[in-house]
Amino acid sequence: MAPKVRKNFLKGKPKASPVTDSERDDLIQKVNKLTSTWRTRLSNWKCQHQSSHGKITLVSDCCGYGSELIALRLLGLQKRIHLAMATEVDGAKVDLHEAVSRACGINTSSTVMADMFERDLDSAPQADIYVAGYPCPSFSKLGRKKGTKDRRGLVTLKGLEFIAFTRPKMVLLEQVATLLHKSNARLWQFIQKTFRILNYQMIFQVLNTKHFGVPQSRPRVYIIAIVQECAQGRQLEMPPARKSHPDLHQFLDKNKIGKETLNLPNYEEKIGPSLWTKGYIVDVGSSPKFQHALTNCCPCLTYTRLKEGGYYIPKLRRRVRCEEAARLQGVPAKVLAAMRTTELPPRSVDAALGDAMSINVLMLTLRRGLGVAGLTDMGPKHDWWLRCPSESCHQLSDNLFDKYG
C-alpha cells in the first residue's frame, strides 16, 4: 500500500463521538432516495454461473485485519479475489490487513483504502461481494448503547448507503446479537426495508462460534443478502449447528505452565475447586455481573480484554496467549505469524483478534452466499467446519491454509 494512501489511516482506534439528529436524518434520507431510485440508476446484474472461474470483486467495510480474506483463502478462492476497496480507520489494523493479505496470497496493490465518511461514492466500484462487520460498541450490552446517536453506530447507515448506491450481488454483514433487540428496532426495520426495496433475498440468524467447531461463545447476528436476479430461484439458508463439539483443551498450549495464581472468589463460588483442576478460561477483567462460568468454552473475546490480558486459565496459572486467541478465532498459525511481523505496540495483534469476525462462521456463510449468487459451485463438501471430526477442529484452519497454498 502506497505511503500517501496509508498515512491518513494511522489514527488509532476510533473513539465514540456524538452525532446530531440532522446529520443522522440526512443520511437516512440519502439511503431512502438511493433505494427508491435504484432501478433508474442501475441495471440488473447479468448473472451467469461462474463455477470455478472468473474474478470476484470484493469490497470490505470496517475490514479490520481482513477476516474475510482469511476465510476466502481457506475456501481456496484467493486467486479469484480482487479486493477493490476496503475501509478501516484503525491504523494498527491497516498494517495488519496488509500483512494478512500478503500471507493469504491476495494482491491488494490496487486496493483503495478509504474512510467510510470520506470516500467518493461516484467512484466506488461495483462489487460481487460486500462484507462488513460494523463497530459493535454502540449496540453491545457492554457498550454505551447509543445506537446511531454516535459516529460508530452511524457507520451502519454509511454501509447501507454504499449498498444502496452500488447494489452488490452478495452482501454479508455481522453485528452483535443485540441489533435485534427492541431498543434497536427502528434501525433493524430500516435495514430490512432497504434490502427489500433493493430486491434482495435476505436471511438472518444469530450464529454462535462455539456451535461450529471453535469453542468460543461469540453470538453474532449474520445477514446474507443476494440480488434476486442472481439467485435465480436458489434459496439461501444458514448453516446448521454441529452435533458434536471439540474440547477446549485442544485449542490451548497445555505445556505452557505459568506461576500466576489469582484470587478468584466469584468464580470459585460458581465453579468450586474444579476451577483450578479443569480447563476453564475466565474473564478476570470484567465486573462480577459479567463473570459467567462456561464449561469447555472460552468466553467471548473482546478488543479491550485481549489488549489488557484479561483472560486467565486457572489450571495453567497464566493468561491466554495470542496463539490461543488466534485459534479461538479460527486464524491459521501462518497468518498469525505474518501479523506479528508488523512493528506495532505490544498486544496490538491480540486486541485486533477480539474485534474480528470468526473465520469458521465466515467460511460457512460465505460458501452459502457465493453459491446462491452463482459465483461458485462449492457444495456441502466445502462445509469443512461441519464435517471435521471434533478431535481435529483445532488443526483445521492450519490444514486448509496449507491445502490451498
Side-chain angles (χ1 to χ4, degrees), residues 247-258:
D247 192 327
L248 175 61
H249 287 83
Q250 296 172 329
F251 288 74
L252 304 180
D253 298 319
K254 299 184 289 295
N255 62 327
K256 304 289 185 181
I257 310 297

Side-chain angles (χ1 to χ4, degrees), residues 2-3 80 83 193 203 221-222 232 250 314 323 356-357 363:
R80 296 184 59 191
L83 181 60
K193 170 191 167 186
I203 62 171
V221 59
Y222 286 81
Q232 298 179 354
Q250 296 172 329
E323 293 87 346
M357 292 182 273
M363 289 175 65

